[in-house]
Amino acid sequence: MGIQDTPEEWRTVATATPFTGNKTSVRTDEVVMPDGTTVRRDYQVHPGSVAVLALDDTGRVIVLRQYRHPVRHRLWEIPAGLLDIPGENPLHAAQRELYEEAHVKAEDWRVLTDVYTTPGGCDEAVRVFLAREISAADGERYEVSEEEADMELARVPLNELVRGVLAGDLHNTCLAVGVLALHAALAGDGVDALRPADAPWPARPFEA
């Protein structure tokens, strides 16, 4: 292929962790620059996430409206969540999040795209899945709490979401990346050309 990102690691001469939270932490590294000088880089250390663009048979996407305190907004999002343990299979995590947040299961899974959300200040990597052939999940709904207890659920046509992203009305990273990636796939080689659900993910290696 043409251009692509490549792994590289500049020399770190010192590191510290001034803050450790419940799921993430903050790390400070002293990094050697190409001219030999050393600079300090502070960044959030993140376990990684998955997100699911669940598309029903009428072309609508399952979206959730949730309060996000850091940005003081209620954002429309697609189901998403953290990798609970290091090395967790991202497909299993995505299936769990789709069940917990939307009480839905899917028969057909593909990888839409992999992204670093904010590489200048956080090492979070997200795998965005496409889920199709969806239906109601079995059993009782997952009991949610905190911000998730106030979530609103909807199904919105893909084209409406694309217009919302381009108009600046929808801001969530995973939603924007997911709907634009699916729109591009449908306009290009089609979803059958997408990577399989168990495609390697170097940013967060896992066992199948």
Side-chain angles (χ1 to χ4, degrees):
M1 60 181 296
I3 65 169
Q4 65 182 89
D5 298 333
T6 55
E8 184 171 338
E9 185 172 357
W10 292 2
R11 187 162 65 95
T12 300
V13 296
T15 188
T17 304
F19 170 80
T20 300
N22 184 32
K23 296 291 186 178
T24 67
S25 61
V26 172
R27 183 176 296 163
T28 298
D29 289 344
E30 299 287 341
V31 185
V32 179
M33 296 290 104
D35 63 0
T37 59
T38 302
V39 300
R40 191 171 81 171
R41 292 289 178 259
D42 303 316
Y43 59 97
Q44 183 184 22
V45 178
H46 194 284
S49 306
V50 292
V52 186
L53 195 152
L55 186 71
D56 70 17
D57 57 6
T58 66
R60 298 177 302 168
V61 176
I62 294 177
V63 290
L64 309 162
R65 190 168 181 246
Q66 184 173 348
Y67 176 66
R68 294 300 189 184
H69 186 72
V71 295
R72 283 21 177 218
H73 269 71
R74 283 184 182 269
L75 299 180
W76 285 104
E77 307 179 354
I78 57 177
L82 300 177
L83 297 173
D84 282 347
I85 57 175
E88 181 178 14
N89 187 305
L91 175 59
H92 298 166
Q95 292 169 332
R96 179 185 66 240
E97 294 301 328
L98 187 60
Y99 162 73
E100 291 181 357
E101 296 193 349
H103 198 64
V104 164
K105 61 182 179 180
E107 300 301 321
D108 185 82
W109 290 83
R110 311 289 174 113
V111 174
L112 263 177
T113 189
D114 301 323
V115 294
Y116 291 115
T117 53
T118 49
C122 180
D123 71 350
E124 180 184 16
V126 179
R127 168 156 281 189
V128 184
F129 289 91
L130 170 65
R132 297 185 298 166
E133 300 178 23
I134 63 176
S135 60
D138 301 325
E140 299 292 326
R141 293 191 67 94
Y142 181 78
E143 185 175 348
V144 295
S145 60
E146 300 174 350
E147 290 92 342
E148 292 183 352
D150 193 43
M151 287 194 306
E152 178 182 346
L153 180 69
R155 295 193 183 198
V156 180
L158 175 65
N159 288 340
E160 184 176 334
L161 295 174
V162 171
R163 287 193 295 270
V165 171
L166 297 180
D169 296 329
L170 299 172
H171 306 89
N172 176 262
T173 301
C174 293
L175 182 145
V177 168
V179 301
L180 295 179
L182 180 56
H183 181 74
L186 292 172
D189 296 330
V191 297
D192 289 339
L194 293 172
R195 287 173 291 161
D198 60 353
W201 189 16
R204 294 294 185 273
F206 63 95
E207 292 187 7

